[in-house]
Amino acid sequence: SRRVVAAPPRGSTPRPAPAHQDMAITEIDSSALVHLATSGSSGSPRFVPLTRDNVAASIGASQARLGNTADDTWLLCLPLHHVAGLSVLWRSLAAGGSVAVHPSFDASRVVAALAGPVTIGSMVPTMLRRTLDSGTRFDSVRWMLVGGAASATNLLAESLRAGIPGLATYGTTESASQVATVSPEDIEAGVGTTGAPLDGMEVSITDIGEILVDGPAVFHGYVGEEPRTGPHNTRDLGSIDAHGRLVVHGRLDEMINTGGEKAYPTMIEAVLETHPEVSAAFVYGVPDGRWGSRVEAIVESTTVAPDDVIAWSQARLDAHEVPKRVNVVSRLARLASGKVDRARADRRAP
């Protein structure tokens, strides 16, 4: 059997980091296989009980979309206390494959793994960006799931040129991971989307653009709260294109209304992060007497100038989406998943 977990470099042992130590699960769902915390990227997390049926449905639908087999080695550099990391183990072990475990993201070690035994993997866009910055050509990688934030078209195109076919994916803790994913056979046609919903996953859009999900992989309700009835409202905004593919615009509570137009921070961030000197970006709204709200941004860089970022965005975004002010910092606060910690990002002027 190839149901093995590869030892991480230097003999270290991966241990899930404690998620939000100041919180505790006060009520346990005895039918659950596992309790997981939501990412908490925009505030306090909630605990999600996932049953064996939820996990089994997610594994089956994922494998039907991705086609991972016992011959694959899956790169795991995402934290195991979040669904994105834990689901890698579920999917790989169900297929009889192996997992190359990295207790944290280290670009040089990940590059070495991708040039060696790894054939498939999962990353957030910032991780992929740092991997591509190595300038290495990867010829043995079949595909890489890229989720957790908006994936810029330019980033996925660059990844494909480097030998890593990036599959944009959208998922939630509440759905035991994947909701929609671009299939390996649909990479070019699916650009700008997160692909069609997985088998058994029912996705609909409300009148105001909120994404609703339902199906056997979707949880039954948060710990300590009333059971869920009807489709789960993700509070994410999106649309479904003419070919049935899901397009994710961002979080409802992060949308910026500026001058009567809607601006979606995650989509703007994806564009800013295509700047060669920007490693990450955080976009937010600031109250404005004239516009209602104005768009501002913080970018992570050691070399770029604010005016250069604004000029970059002016050439690639609609006028209402261009940040009116840009701050540059050497490091943005991050969650264990690698995503920017939106709650902790410093919005003060320098």
Side-chain angles (χ1 to χ4, degrees):
S1 170
R2 298 190 73 245
R3 298 187 181 188
V4 296
V5 178
R10 301 184 187 175
S12 58
T13 302
R15 295 183 177 89
H20 307 281
Q21 293 179 344
D22 59 336
M23 299 187 67
I25 300 177
T26 56
E27 182 179 335
I28 297 296
D29 182 345
S30 59
S31 68
L33 175 67
V34 64
H35 290 78
L36 293 172
T38 59
S39 68
S41 57
S42 300
S44 299
R46 299 155 90 181
F47 285 98
V48 177
L50 296 174
T51 67
R52 291 182 181 276
D53 288 343
N54 294 150
V55 173
S58 177
I59 290 171
S62 176
Q63 190 167 12
R65 177 60 50 87
L66 300 176
N68 57 297
T69 72
D71 294 327
D72 284 307
T73 296
W74 199 314
L75 173 70
L76 172 57
C77 54
L78 299 169
L80 287 172
H81 62 267
H82 286 309
V83 72
L86 192 55
S87 61
V88 170
L89 296 182
W90 295 338
R91 301 171 193 142
S92 295
L93 296 179
S98 58
V99 182
V101 180
H102 292 240
S104 61
F105 179 82
D106 181 290
S108 61
R109 293 179 179 178
V110 166
V111 167
L114 293 175
V118 167
T119 57
I120 58 180
S122 301
M123 289 184 177
V124 296
T126 300
M127 293 176 178
L128 181 58
R129 172 74 273 157
R130 292 175 60 190
T131 300
L132 298 177
D133 285 344
S134 70
T136 304
R137 170 76 192 183
F138 305 95
D139 295 313
S140 60
V141 179
R142 296 207 296 124
W143 47 256
M144 180 71 64
L145 286 180
V146 186
S151 302
T153 300
N154 288 353
L155 176 65
L156 295 177
E158 182 181 346
S159 179
L160 188 59
R161 290 193 298 269
I164 302 178
L167 307 179
T169 185
Y170 167 73
T172 67
T173 306
E174 293 87 345
S175 60
S177 192
Q178 289 167 274
V179 170
T181 302
V182 172
S183 69
E185 299 79 23
D186 199 33
I187 291 178
E188 292 186 8
V191 168
T193 79
T194 59
L198 271 61
D199 292 348
M201 192 65 66
E202 302 169 19
V203 177
S204 57
I205 309 295
T206 70
D207 292 342
I208 63 170
E210 294 172 295
I211 300 172
L212 307 181
V213 298
D214 206 348
V218 181
F219 80 139
H220 301 301
Y222 296 104
V223 169
E225 301 182 24
E226 291 296 318
R228 175 179 65 87
T229 57
H232 168 58
N233 189 331
T234 66
R235 305 294 288 173
D236 289 323
L237 295 169
S239 58
I240 297 175
D241 72 8
H243 302 282
R245 303 184 188 98
L246 178 64
V247 180
V248 180
H249 303 308
R251 294 287 297 172
L252 176 65
D253 54 7
E254 294 167 1
M255 183 181 69
I256 304 167
N257 284 301
T258 178
E261 299 280 359
K262 296 177 181 178
Y264 301 102
T266 55
M267 299 181 72
I268 300 172
E269 289 161 2
V271 172
L272 299 185
E273 289 170 1
T274 64
H275 191 291
E277 297 176 65
V278 172
S279 54
F282 168 54
V283 172
Y284 53 95
V286 174
D288 186 279
R290 179 181 179 186
W291 300 103
S293 293
R294 65 179 183 273
V295 178
E296 296 193 358
I298 305 172
V299 299
E300 183 179 276
S301 177
T302 57
T303 56
V304 77
D307 288 346
D308 290 341
V309 177
I310 293 175
W312 182 270
S313 62
Q314 287 172 333
R316 294 163 176 81
L317 294 169
D318 291 337
H320 71 278
E321 298 172 315
V322 174
K324 300 296 187 292
R325 183 174 69 117
V326 172
N327 291 338
V328 179
V329 298
S330 60
R331 179 70 177 169
L332 277 163
R334 281 187 171 79
L335 300 166
S337 63
K339 293 191 289 184
V340 170
D341 188 338
R342 309 185 76 85
R344 289 177 55 212
D346 189 349
R347 308 182 190 198
R348 295 171 297 178

